[in-house]
Short mmCIF file of all heavy atoms in Angstrom, two decimals:
data_model
loop_
_atom_site.label_atom_id
_atom_site.label_comp_id
_atom_site.label_asym_id
_atom_site.label_seq_id
_atom_site.Cartn_x
_atom_site.Cartn_y
_atom_site.Cartn_z
N GLY B 34 99.70 128.29 113.62
CA GLY B 34 99.17 128.26 114.97
C GLY B 34 99.57 129.49 115.78
O GLY B 34 98.92 129.83 116.76
N PHE B 35 100.67 130.14 115.36
CA PHE B 35 101.15 131.33 116.07
C PHE B 35 100.57 132.62 115.49
O PHE B 35 100.92 133.71 115.91
CB PHE B 35 102.68 131.42 116.01
CG PHE B 35 103.37 130.42 116.90
CD1 PHE B 35 104.05 129.34 116.36
CD2 PHE B 35 103.35 130.57 118.27
CE1 PHE B 35 104.69 128.43 117.17
CE2 PHE B 35 103.98 129.65 119.10
CZ PHE B 35 104.65 128.57 118.55
N ARG B 36 99.71 132.49 114.45
CA ARG B 36 99.16 133.69 113.84
C ARG B 36 97.71 133.85 114.29
O ARG B 36 97.14 132.96 114.92
CB ARG B 36 99.23 133.57 112.32
CG ARG B 36 100.63 133.27 111.82
CD ARG B 36 100.67 133.03 110.33
NE ARG B 36 100.62 134.27 109.60
CZ ARG B 36 100.22 134.36 108.32
NH1 ARG B 36 99.81 133.28 107.69
NH2 ARG B 36 100.21 135.51 107.69
N THR B 37 97.14 134.99 113.95
CA THR B 37 95.72 135.17 114.25
C THR B 37 94.94 134.93 112.97
O THR B 37 95.51 134.94 111.88
CB THR B 37 95.44 136.60 114.73
OG1 THR B 37 95.79 137.49 113.67
CG2 THR B 37 96.23 136.94 115.97
N ASN B 38 93.63 134.73 113.10
CA ASN B 38 92.82 134.51 111.90
C ASN B 38 92.89 135.71 110.96
O ASN B 38 92.89 135.55 109.75
CB ASN B 38 91.37 134.23 112.30
CG ASN B 38 91.20 132.81 112.76
OD1 ASN B 38 91.65 131.88 112.09
ND2 ASN B 38 90.58 132.63 113.91
N ALA B 39 92.96 136.91 111.55
CA ALA B 39 93.05 138.10 110.70
C ALA B 39 94.31 138.04 109.85
O ALA B 39 94.29 138.29 108.65
CB ALA B 39 93.04 139.35 111.58
N GLN B 40 95.43 137.67 110.51
CA GLN B 40 96.69 137.56 109.76
C GLN B 40 96.57 136.54 108.64
O GLN B 40 97.01 136.76 107.50
CB GLN B 40 97.83 137.13 110.69
CG GLN B 40 98.31 138.22 111.64
CD GLN B 40 99.43 137.70 112.54
OE1 GLN B 40 100.20 136.84 112.14
NE2 GLN B 40 99.50 138.21 113.75
N ILE B 41 95.96 135.38 108.96
CA ILE B 41 95.85 134.31 107.97
C ILE B 41 94.94 134.71 106.83
O ILE B 41 95.23 134.45 105.66
CB ILE B 41 95.35 133.01 108.63
CG1 ILE B 41 96.40 132.50 109.63
CG2 ILE B 41 95.07 131.94 107.59
CD1 ILE B 41 95.96 131.28 110.40
N ASN B 42 93.84 135.39 107.16
CA ASN B 42 92.91 135.77 106.11
C ASN B 42 93.49 136.85 105.19
O ASN B 42 93.28 136.83 103.99
CB ASN B 42 91.59 136.27 106.72
CG ASN B 42 90.80 135.11 107.33
OD1 ASN B 42 90.99 133.96 106.92
ND2 ASN B 42 89.97 135.42 108.30
N ASN B 43 94.22 137.81 105.79
CA ASN B 43 94.82 138.86 104.97
C ASN B 43 95.91 138.30 104.08
O ASN B 43 96.08 138.74 102.95
CB ASN B 43 95.43 139.95 105.86
CG ASN B 43 94.33 140.78 106.51
OD1 ASN B 43 93.21 140.80 106.01
ND2 ASN B 43 94.66 141.41 107.62
N GLU B 44 96.65 137.35 104.62
CA GLU B 44 97.84 136.90 103.92
C GLU B 44 98.09 135.43 104.27
O GLU B 44 98.74 135.14 105.26
CB GLU B 44 99.03 137.75 104.37
CG GLU B 44 100.11 137.84 103.35
CD GLU B 44 101.32 138.57 103.92
OE1 GLU B 44 101.18 139.25 104.95
OE2 GLU B 44 102.40 138.41 103.34
N PRO B 45 97.53 134.50 103.47
CA PRO B 45 97.64 133.07 103.81
C PRO B 45 99.09 132.61 103.99
O PRO B 45 99.38 131.77 104.83
CB PRO B 45 96.98 132.37 102.63
CG PRO B 45 96.08 133.37 102.03
CD PRO B 45 96.74 134.70 102.25
N VAL B 46 100.00 133.16 103.16
CA VAL B 46 101.40 132.78 103.31
C VAL B 46 102.11 133.89 104.06
O VAL B 46 102.11 135.03 103.60
CB VAL B 46 102.08 132.61 101.94
CG1 VAL B 46 103.43 131.95 102.12
CG2 VAL B 46 101.20 131.82 101.02
N GLY B 47 102.69 133.57 105.19
CA GLY B 47 103.41 134.64 105.87
C GLY B 47 103.90 134.23 107.23
O GLY B 47 103.47 133.21 107.78
N TRP B 48 104.81 135.02 107.72
CA TRP B 48 105.39 134.79 109.03
C TRP B 48 104.42 135.34 110.09
O TRP B 48 103.71 136.30 109.80
CB TRP B 48 106.72 135.54 109.08
CG TRP B 48 107.78 134.81 109.84
CD1 TRP B 48 108.28 135.18 111.05
CD2 TRP B 48 108.47 133.64 109.43
NE1 TRP B 48 109.24 134.28 111.43
CE2 TRP B 48 109.37 133.32 110.47
CE3 TRP B 48 108.41 132.79 108.32
CZ2 TRP B 48 110.22 132.20 110.42
CZ3 TRP B 48 109.24 131.69 108.28
CH2 TRP B 48 110.13 131.41 109.31
N PRO B 49 104.39 134.79 111.27
CA PRO B 49 103.53 135.38 112.31
C PRO B 49 104.08 136.75 112.69
O PRO B 49 105.27 136.86 112.99
CB PRO B 49 103.68 134.42 113.49
CG PRO B 49 104.30 133.18 112.94
CD PRO B 49 105.09 133.61 111.75
N SER B 50 103.25 137.81 112.61
CA SER B 50 103.73 139.09 113.10
C SER B 50 102.56 139.89 113.61
O SER B 50 101.70 140.29 112.84
CB SER B 50 104.46 139.85 112.00
OG SER B 50 103.55 140.39 111.07
N PRO B 51 102.44 140.13 114.87
CA PRO B 51 103.34 139.59 115.90
C PRO B 51 103.02 138.13 116.21
O PRO B 51 101.96 137.65 115.84
CB PRO B 51 103.01 140.47 117.12
CG PRO B 51 101.55 140.80 116.92
CD PRO B 51 101.36 140.93 115.43
N TRP B 52 103.99 137.46 116.88
CA TRP B 52 103.75 136.09 117.31
C TRP B 52 102.65 136.07 118.37
O TRP B 52 102.64 136.90 119.26
CB TRP B 52 105.03 135.48 117.88
CG TRP B 52 106.04 135.20 116.80
CD1 TRP B 52 106.72 136.15 116.08
CD2 TRP B 52 106.48 133.93 116.33
NE1 TRP B 52 107.54 135.53 115.17
CE2 TRP B 52 107.43 134.17 115.31
CE3 TRP B 52 106.18 132.62 116.66
CZ2 TRP B 52 108.07 133.15 114.62
CZ3 TRP B 52 106.82 131.60 115.98
CH2 TRP B 52 107.75 131.86 114.96
N ASN B 53 101.76 135.12 118.20
CA ASN B 53 100.60 135.08 119.07
C ASN B 53 100.49 133.69 119.69
O ASN B 53 100.34 132.70 118.98
CB ASN B 53 99.36 135.41 118.20
CG ASN B 53 98.08 135.00 118.84
OD1 ASN B 53 97.97 135.04 120.06
ND2 ASN B 53 97.12 134.59 118.04
N LEU B 54 100.65 133.64 120.99
CA LEU B 54 100.69 132.34 121.67
C LEU B 54 99.30 131.83 122.05
O LEU B 54 99.15 130.69 122.48
CB LEU B 54 101.55 132.44 122.93
CG LEU B 54 103.04 132.66 122.70
CD1 LEU B 54 103.74 132.87 124.03
CD2 LEU B 54 103.65 131.48 121.96
N GLY B 55 98.29 132.70 121.88
CA GLY B 55 96.96 132.40 122.39
C GLY B 55 96.39 131.06 121.92
O GLY B 55 95.83 130.31 122.72
N ASN B 56 96.54 130.76 120.63
CA ASN B 56 95.96 129.53 120.11
C ASN B 56 96.56 128.31 120.80
O ASN B 56 95.85 127.38 121.18
CB ASN B 56 96.20 129.41 118.61
CG ASN B 56 95.55 130.55 117.86
OD1 ASN B 56 94.38 130.82 118.06
ND2 ASN B 56 96.32 131.23 117.03
N TYR B 57 97.89 128.33 120.92
CA TYR B 57 98.54 127.17 121.53
C TYR B 57 98.19 127.05 123.02
O TYR B 57 97.94 125.95 123.51
CB TYR B 57 100.06 127.25 121.35
CG TYR B 57 100.49 126.80 119.97
CD1 TYR B 57 100.91 127.72 119.02
CD2 TYR B 57 100.47 125.45 119.62
CE1 TYR B 57 101.30 127.31 117.76
CE2 TYR B 57 100.85 125.04 118.36
CZ TYR B 57 101.27 125.97 117.43
OH TYR B 57 101.64 125.56 116.18
N THR B 58 98.18 128.18 123.73
CA THR B 58 97.85 128.08 125.15
C THR B 58 96.41 127.63 125.33
O THR B 58 96.11 126.83 126.21
CB THR B 58 98.10 129.41 125.90
OG1 THR B 58 97.49 130.46 125.14
CG2 THR B 58 99.57 129.70 126.06
N ASP B 59 95.51 128.10 124.42
CA ASP B 59 94.12 127.62 124.47
C ASP B 59 94.06 126.11 124.33
O ASP B 59 93.41 125.41 125.11
CB ASP B 59 93.30 128.24 123.33
CG ASP B 59 92.77 129.61 123.71
OD1 ASP B 59 93.06 130.04 124.85
OD2 ASP B 59 92.09 130.23 122.89
N VAL B 60 94.74 125.62 123.28
CA VAL B 60 94.68 124.19 122.99
C VAL B 60 95.31 123.39 124.13
O VAL B 60 94.73 122.42 124.62
CB VAL B 60 95.39 123.88 121.66
CG1 VAL B 60 95.62 122.38 121.51
CG2 VAL B 60 94.58 124.40 120.49
N LEU B 61 96.50 123.83 124.55
CA LEU B 61 97.23 123.05 125.54
C LEU B 61 96.63 123.14 126.94
O LEU B 61 96.98 122.36 127.82
CB LEU B 61 98.71 123.47 125.56
CG LEU B 61 99.46 123.14 124.27
CD1 LEU B 61 100.89 123.67 124.33
CD2 LEU B 61 99.47 121.64 124.00
N SER B 62 95.74 124.11 127.15
CA SER B 62 95.09 124.16 128.46
C SER B 62 93.67 123.60 128.39
O SER B 62 92.94 123.66 129.36
CB SER B 62 95.08 125.60 128.99
OG SER B 62 94.33 126.40 128.11
N SER B 63 93.30 123.07 127.21
CA SER B 63 91.94 122.54 127.09
C SER B 63 91.89 121.06 127.45
O SER B 63 92.82 120.31 127.19
CB SER B 63 91.43 122.73 125.66
OG SER B 63 92.07 121.83 124.80
N ASP B 64 90.78 120.67 128.06
CA ASP B 64 90.60 119.26 128.41
C ASP B 64 90.51 118.40 127.15
O ASP B 64 90.97 117.27 127.11
CB ASP B 64 89.31 119.07 129.22
CG ASP B 64 89.47 119.62 130.62
OD1 ASP B 64 90.62 119.83 131.03
OD2 ASP B 64 88.45 119.84 131.29
N VAL B 65 89.88 118.96 126.11
CA VAL B 65 89.63 118.19 124.89
C VAL B 65 90.92 117.59 124.36
O VAL B 65 91.00 116.40 124.04
CB VAL B 65 89.00 119.10 123.81
CG1 VAL B 65 88.65 118.30 122.57
CG2 VAL B 65 87.78 119.79 124.36
N PHE B 66 91.97 118.42 124.30
CA PHE B 66 93.22 117.96 123.73
C PHE B 66 93.85 116.87 124.60
O PHE B 66 94.25 115.82 124.11
CB PHE B 66 94.18 119.14 123.56
CG PHE B 66 95.53 118.73 123.04
CD1 PHE B 66 95.69 118.44 121.70
CD2 PHE B 66 96.62 118.63 123.89
CE1 PHE B 66 96.93 118.04 121.21
CE2 PHE B 66 97.85 118.23 123.40
CZ PHE B 66 98.01 117.94 122.06
N TRP B 67 93.93 117.14 125.90
CA TRP B 67 94.62 116.18 126.77
C TRP B 67 93.84 114.89 126.93
O TRP B 67 94.41 113.82 127.09
CB TRP B 67 94.93 116.81 128.13
CG TRP B 67 95.97 117.87 127.98
CD1 TRP B 67 95.78 119.22 128.07
CD2 TRP B 67 97.34 117.68 127.67
NE1 TRP B 67 96.96 119.88 127.82
CE2 TRP B 67 97.95 118.96 127.58
CE3 TRP B 67 98.15 116.55 127.43
CZ2 TRP B 67 99.30 119.14 127.28
CZ3 TRP B 67 99.49 116.74 127.14
CH2 TRP B 67 100.05 118.01 127.06
N GLN B 68 92.49 115.00 126.87
CA GLN B 68 91.67 113.80 126.91
C GLN B 68 91.97 112.91 125.71
O GLN B 68 92.19 111.70 125.84
CB GLN B 68 90.20 114.20 126.88
CG GLN B 68 89.41 113.67 128.04
CD GLN B 68 88.03 114.31 128.08
OE1 GLN B 68 87.55 114.88 127.10
NE2 GLN B 68 87.41 114.22 129.24
N ALA B 69 92.00 113.55 124.53
CA ALA B 69 92.27 112.79 123.31
C ALA B 69 93.67 112.16 123.37
O ALA B 69 93.87 111.00 123.02
CB ALA B 69 92.15 113.69 122.08
N MET B 70 94.63 112.95 123.86
CA MET B 70 95.99 112.45 124.01
C MET B 70 96.01 111.24 124.95
O MET B 70 96.64 110.22 124.67
CB MET B 70 96.87 113.57 124.57
CG MET B 70 98.29 113.16 124.80
SD MET B 70 99.25 113.41 123.32
CE MET B 70 100.09 114.88 123.79
N GLY B 71 95.30 111.36 126.07
CA GLY B 71 95.24 110.25 127.03
C GLY B 71 94.59 109.02 126.43
O GLY B 71 95.11 107.91 126.57
N ASN B 72 93.47 109.22 125.72
CA ASN B 72 92.79 108.08 125.10
C ASN B 72 93.69 107.40 124.08
O ASN B 72 93.77 106.17 124.02
CB ASN B 72 91.49 108.54 124.43
CG ASN B 72 90.46 109.02 125.44
OD1 ASN B 72 90.46 108.57 126.59
ND2 ASN B 72 89.62 109.94 125.03
N SER B 73 94.35 108.21 123.24
CA SER B 73 95.24 107.65 122.22
C SER B 73 96.33 106.83 122.89
O SER B 73 96.66 105.72 122.44
CB SER B 73 95.89 108.77 121.39
OG SER B 73 95.07 109.12 120.32
N THR B 74 96.92 107.40 123.95
CA THR B 74 98.02 106.71 124.62
C THR B 74 97.53 105.39 125.21
O THR B 74 98.16 104.34 125.01
CB THR B 74 98.59 107.60 125.76
OG1 THR B 74 98.86 108.89 125.21
CG2 THR B 74 99.84 107.00 126.34
N LEU B 75 96.40 105.45 125.92
CA LEU B 75 95.87 104.24 126.55
C LEU B 75 95.63 103.14 125.51
O LEU B 75 96.09 102.00 125.66
CB LEU B 75 94.57 104.58 127.29
CG LEU B 75 93.88 103.40 127.99
CD1 LEU B 75 94.73 102.93 129.16
CD2 LEU B 75 92.49 103.80 128.49
N ILE B 76 94.93 103.51 124.43
CA ILE B 76 94.58 102.51 123.41
C ILE B 76 95.83 101.96 122.73
O ILE B 76 95.97 100.75 122.54
CB ILE B 76 93.61 103.13 122.37
CG1 ILE B 76 92.24 103.33 123.01
CG2 ILE B 76 93.49 102.24 121.13
CD1 ILE B 76 91.24 104.06 122.15
N SER B 77 96.79 102.84 122.43
CA SER B 77 98.00 102.38 121.75
C SER B 77 98.82 101.47 122.65
O SER B 77 99.41 100.49 122.19
CB SER B 77 98.85 103.57 121.30
OG SER B 77 98.13 104.39 120.45
N VAL B 78 98.87 101.81 123.95
CA VAL B 78 99.66 100.99 124.87
C VAL B 78 99.02 99.60 125.03
O VAL B 78 99.71 98.58 124.98
CB VAL B 78 99.81 101.69 126.24
CG1 VAL B 78 100.34 100.73 127.29
CG2 VAL B 78 100.74 102.89 126.12
N ILE B 79 97.69 99.56 125.18
CA ILE B 79 97.03 98.26 125.30
C ILE B 79 97.23 97.44 124.01
O ILE B 79 97.58 96.26 124.05
CB ILE B 79 95.51 98.42 125.58
CG1 ILE B 79 95.29 99.17 126.88
CG2 ILE B 79 94.84 97.06 125.65
CD1 ILE B 79 93.82 99.45 127.18
N THR B 80 97.01 98.10 122.87
CA THR B 80 97.18 97.41 121.59
C THR B 80 98.58 96.81 121.49
O THR B 80 98.75 95.62 121.17
CB THR B 80 96.98 98.39 120.41
OG1 THR B 80 95.69 98.96 120.50
CG2 THR B 80 97.14 97.68 119.08
N THR B 81 99.60 97.65 121.77
CA THR B 81 100.98 97.21 121.62
C THR B 81 101.29 96.08 122.59
O THR B 81 101.88 95.05 122.21
CB THR B 81 101.94 98.39 121.87
OG1 THR B 81 101.52 99.48 121.06
CG2 THR B 81 103.36 98.02 121.52
N GLY B 82 100.88 96.25 123.85
CA GLY B 82 101.16 95.22 124.85
C GLY B 82 100.55 93.88 124.47
O GLY B 82 101.22 92.85 124.51
#
Side-chain angles (χ1 to χ4, degrees):
Chain B
F35 286 109
R36 305 175 78 202
T37 62
N38 281 312
Q40 287 179 31
I41 295 176
N42 289 335
N43 288 338
E44 206 186 343
V46 191
W48 217 250
S50 75
W52 288 69
N53 162 33
L54 292 174
N56 298 310
Y57 280 106
T58 49
D59 276 0
V60 167
L61 293 176
S62 62
S63 73
D64 288 343
V65 184
F66 178 77
W67 291 108
Q68 236 169 18
M70 179 88 103
N72 293 332
S73 273
T74 309
L75 179 68
I76 289 174
S77 301
V78 167
I79 299 176
T80 302
T81 309

